[in-house]
Amino acid sequence: MKNLYIDFDGVIMNTIEITYQDMIDKNINQDNQKEVRDYYKNLDWIQLLKKSKIINNGIECIEKIIESEKFEISILTHVNSLHEAVEKIKFIRKYFKDITIIPVPRELSKTEMVHVEDSILIDDYAGNLEEWQEKGGIAIRFSEKLHGKGFIVIDKLDKILDII
């Protein structure tokens, strides 16, 4: 079975869309890394996850992937705080009791947390995918608008079953 790592923000949940708009509303300079990190560290993740929506039936898609028995699935997500990690884990546990969840401190690359070679990463951020490929992994870009940015692209998680 191949390892399949799925990102959380911007792939399973639309938290990125909501937080970017909130930063605009609060006049936070998104080019200022310190301001952005402080924003995410102080964010109320309980409220954010209540406001957020699941993207393109992501939970049902993950269930379908699990049923296929083609992959060993883990959620691999960057976090800025312990509070963020806890709330993301609680959210995933509402749907999946037996899926591995790997919170990655923002200061580290996802490639430093898991075995990458021949493993698949589905992520919306091209920077993560570039690092993944450089380390011998298989990078799949998630984009609702199907903008691949040079990567194989999907807009629903279960489309991985058609690719691999």
Side-chain angles (χ1 to χ4, degrees):
M1 245 192 279
K2 243 187 199 332
N3 289 323
L4 172 62
Y5 297 100
I6 302 172
D7 182 35
F8 185 90
D9 303 290
V11 176
I12 297 173
M13 298 294 290
N14 75 334
T15 53
I16 298 288
E17 179 182 319
I18 292 171
T19 56
Y20 280 12
Q21 184 59 52
D22 191 40
M23 282 189 268
I24 290 167
D25 295 344
K26 292 179 176 175
N27 293 316
I28 293 172
N29 178 357
Q30 293 182 30
D31 294 326
N32 182 325
Q33 289 301 310
K34 183 182 178 342
E35 280 186 47
V36 171
R37 284 189 189 189
D38 288 345
Y39 169 82
Y40 280 110
K41 282 181 182 173
N42 296 310
L43 193 58
D44 183 341
W45 279 87
I46 295 169
Q47 290 306 310
L48 175 60
L49 290 172
K50 283 181 184 175
K51 287 186 219 173
S52 299
K53 292 186 175 120
I54 296 169
I55 301 171
N56 291 348
N57 300 313
I59 299 300
E60 290 86 358
C61 289
I62 293 171
E63 288 170 352
K64 190 174 174 182
I65 296 167
I66 291 169
E67 288 170 10
S68 79
E69 297 183 349
K70 285 184 167 184
F71 304 100
E72 187 67 41
I73 302 171
S74 299
I75 308 302
L76 185 64
T77 181
H78 270 125
V79 295
N80 294 281
S81 67
L82 182 58
H83 172 63
E84 178 181 351
V86 167
E87 294 310 319
K88 284 180 177 180
I89 291 167
K90 284 182 185 177
F91 179 87
I92 292 296
R93 286 290 173 250
K94 287 191 295 187
Y95 301 98
F96 305 103
K97 301 296 180 223
D98 200 27
I99 199 166
T100 300
I101 305 162
I102 305 164
V104 180
R106 177 62 60 194
E107 296 78 15
L108 297 176
S109 168
K110 289 180 178 182
T111 63
E112 295 179 81
M113 295 296 288
V114 297
H115 178 78
V116 175
E117 193 170 333
D118 293 325
S119 297
I120 303 164
L121 173 64
I122 300 175
D123 204 315
D124 59 312
Y125 179 56
N128 289 336
L129 296 170
E130 288 165 4
E131 288 180 11
W132 198 262
Q133 269 188 333
E134 287 170 10
K135 300 285 184 179
I138 301 163
I140 308 287
R141 184 153 193 270
F142 186 91
S143 169
E144 290 184 90
K145 296 177 182 168
L146 293 174
H147 292 103
K149 294 188 177 181
F151 299 98
I152 297 169
V153 63
I154 59 175
D155 61 352
K156 282 189 74 188
L157 288 171
D158 61 353
K159 287 189 178 178
I160 190 69
L161 296 171
D162 300 330
I163 296 170
I164 307 287

